[in-house]
Amino acid sequence: MGRLWPLVFTVLFSSVFSIVLCKTNVQTTQTFIVRVQNDLKPPHHPNIKAWYRSTLTSLSSTSIAQTQDSHVQLLHVYNTVFHGFSARLSPQQAEELTHRPEILAVFPDRLLPIQTTRTPQFMGIRASTGAPNGILNDSDSGSNVIIGVLDTGIWPERLNFHDQGLGPVPSHWRGKCDGGEKFPKTLCNKKLIGARYFTGGYGATAQDEETELTNSARDTVGHGTHTASTAAGRHVGNASFFGFAHGVAIGVAPKARIAVYKVCGSKGCAGSDILGGIDSAVEDGVDVISVSLGGEPRPYFLDPIAIGSFGAIEKGILFSASAGNSGPDSTTVINVAPWITTVGASTIDRKFPADLVLDDGRVITGSSLFTGQSAWTKDKYVPLVYAGNVSVKHPDGASPSTHCLPNTLDANKVRGKIVVCDRGGGSRVEKSVVVKEAGGIGVVVANVDGLGEGLLADPYLSPGLEITESARRTVLKYISSSKNPRASLRFSGTTQVGVRPAPTIACFSSRGPNVISPHVLKPDLVAPGVNILAAWPDGIAPSELSADRRRTAFNIISGTSMSCPHVSGVAALLKGAHPNWSPAMIKSAMMTTAYTHDTDAKVLRDERDFKSSNAFGMGAGHVDPEKAVDPGLVYDITVDDYLHFLCASGYNSTEIKVITRKQVNCSETQQSNLWDLNYPAIAVSLGASAPSKSEVVVKRTVTHVCNGASTYTVKITNPKGAIVTVDHTKMVFTQKGQKQTYTVRILAQKAGLPLDGKMSEFGRLTWTDGKHQVTSPIVVNWS
Ligand SMILES: *[C@@H]1O[C@H](CO)[C@@H](O)[C@H](O)[C@H]1NC(C)=O
Ligand SMILES: *[C@@H]1O[C@H](CO)[C@@H](O)[C@H](O)[C@H]1NC(C)=O
Ligand SMILES: *[C@@H]1O[C@H](CO)[C@@H](O)[C@H](O)[C@H]1NC(C)=O
Ligand SMILES: *[C@@H]1O[C@H](CO)[C@@H](O)[C@H](O)[C@H]1NC(C)=O
Ligand SMILES: *[C@@H]1O[C@H](CO)[C@@H](O)[C@H](O)[C@H]1NC(C)=O
């Protein structure tokens, strides 16, 4: 029996999103995603689509008789990763559908944000050498691998997508170039092999902007062009953002083929379209799916990305998704299903420094991509003020804004000065416009409490830079304690490389634990996501603001949206080097070889406060492609393993059928513990007091993926307060493909509450044969 799921809006939506969604509430119809049991199709309907149409026609239309929209519109028919359709329906019609025997579930569509961090334009850069190395050679740079990029489309004319020197399109490609308006078939080539658009749900939910092409795979936002070129862009010389980060731009898998599925517009992406894009990508024969978007986690049977990704991994397609940009708070990680590869963001060793020089001689180094360096006369000192003290008072008595939002500054108090604005409340670059319009001559965007010590480089439209949370305290103290606070700005226009320590965990990167499946550690790993340079469309300002008249072929932006395609590219190389590896094997290889120490040989630091990060921030660690291509051992997971896991998670047979299209009787499946899913990480709960457990036994199976014999021994780092032992201290393998199972006992050291009140402690388990290090993080949650 079907059921109508309540419409839940999420805190991840920006204010723009809530406005859009409020509008949908007052409409009479909205998009619903409908899961159908296709095996119940009566024989007199020639095909599934005709059957769906007739079902829709049979619905009563009385409830919408007064509206323009009295015909029911079929938006997408899904037949690969999901069985069913999406359509514009009134709530009454949706309710009617739930009573039909063939309908398993009906749930409302929602818009999911693209992950460019909290506001749409965080800034970034990517380090690349372009030199062939082991993994590029072993995989022929991904030449036989197809990456399906689900995003805002692509700007096909960019040089990053040229096909010179590429061999024929891989023979397993079954898709097409159907790019729609302003996207003739001739724009596809041996690099960009497919282009389609799935925007019906978006068009129905969000209002189109004039400039937005919804009936086309052409990118009118920028995000999709950037992510596609990050994953698989060709080598392009003389790339830079107005001179910043000058050098060669190259994607991670430069010969991998790109198939584009436009499922998003400037305001986000509809779940119904995402599902349509995944459905087609799987049918078309892609090998990796890259999805830099997502909404707040939900039970998997209500989550189009969890459902679609299950269908993908079942077909051997690795599914890589962004972890979200809601850090550094805990339990913020999204895209958490165990079959997804969930990618957090880290920094690289590059910076774009700019200085705020206080009149007392102190120099505070921030970060900026301001392109008009010459606009600021060297050593010009002007008054420095804090936005909270120069903003207009709110008529209802609310305290003045500290964020330099449009129309909040008092021009009389700002003219000729540098204004310190708190970050938040909207676009950072826009603050430079607001200050300039009020007559100010410089802007300092300051990380407010909780935004930490990380710096994003932004293309300010007037002299501007960003400073850290601790620097903000220093500056505010200086302003309030000086009679005549003054400062100067210094823009060198330089790109600093070799910055230490690197990498660090980006402050905005979403953190574990996983709220849906606490025994599956998320994020899985981290990759570069801060200040990433990649391709950008024509006609779109780098800040996406209308006041910004600049145009550029490359942009520098930040977010887990940028880290996800790095891992998609690495996965494509691994697939190229090991065509027979399952998605779980590829993910395992990336996780067990990930590194957890930085260039100073210290545990990766967290930009929040520059203290050590942990597995909730970095997952297994930072992806290391050269090691991942030769991991020694992997943890594989079958589709049946996931079914057992879903049973153990308490999903019933209807819910499991919505996710997996499989009829499962959980009382017949082999009972397993949640922590026994063969994951390359271990997360358990321990508690010293009843009814919690003081000991957990975990089972894992490894597969030997090297030629020849090897002997592995185990090394353990205990989480504080627990003792970890393994039943084998040694595993001997004689040939490739051999599997061995071991058990791990995790014992609480003593009764009572955990030491120092921490809710989680972290350890590691490493198998090594001298050459390979196969490491799994261990997380103990005290309950
Ligand atoms: C590159 O790959 C080819 C074919 O896989 C192999 O024969 C060759 O040894 C590799 N070269 C290097 C330098 O690894
Ligand atoms: C490199 O790019 C810059 C800016 O796009 C351009 O002015 C310059 O002529 C280019 N140089 C070469 C050698 O192509
Ligand atoms: C803002 O104004 C208040 C009240 O005049 C003053 O106490 C405070 O020091 C000012 N703060 C800054 C940062 O200027
Ligand atoms: C499964 O749970 C849903 C609620 O999520 C409920 O509506 C449905 O009837 C249940 N199905 C079975 C077979 O228990
Ligand atoms: C599930 O399996 C159990 C045990 O074999 C059986 O008793 C039960 O009838 C089955 N349920 C369904 C819905 O098939």
Side-chain angles (χ1 to χ4, degrees), residues 682-705:
I682 295 173
V684 300
S685 299
L686 279 184
S689 58
S692 300
K693 290 178 183 300
S694 62
E695 184 186 52
V696 176
V697 178
V698 180
K699 215 168 66 184
R700 286 291 182 272
T701 300
V702 285
T703 308
H704 184 233
V705 290

Side-chain angles (χ1 to χ4, degrees), residues 138 574 578 581 589 593 625-633 705-706 771-773:
D138 290 356
L574 292 172
H578 305 288
W581 280 10
T593 59
E626 292 302 335
K627 289 230 166 79
V629 75
D630 180 21
L633 304 173
V705 290
C706 289
K771 180 174 178 223
H772 305 96
Q773 308 271 330

Side-chain angles (χ1 to χ4, degrees), residues 410-433:
D410 180 344
N412 292 324
K413 297 180 181 165
V414 164
R415 200 165 296 120
K417 297 176 182 168
I418 296 173
V419 184
V420 178
C421 308
D422 287 338
R423 194 173 131 188
S427 151
R428 295 182 304 282
V429 173
E430 189 175 42
K431 298 181 197 306
S432 68
V433 179

Side-chain angles (χ1 to χ4, degrees), residues 246-308:
H246 183 263
V248 169
I250 190 167
V252 178
K255 288 191 187 170
R257 317 305 168 117
I258 298 171
V260 163
Y261 301 84
K262 176 160 161 180
V263 298
C264 304
S266 60
K267 297 190 186 74
C269 335
S272 57
D273 296 334
I274 296 169
L275 202 47
I278 299 174
D279 205 54
S280 292
V282 171
E283 218 169 84
D284 291 349
V286 306
D287 303 292
V288 171
I289 293 179
S290 190
V291 163
S292 288
L293 53 97
E296 192 175 77
R298 311 175 126 194
Y300 302 136
F301 59 94
L302 291 177
D303 179 345
I305 295 183
I307 294 168

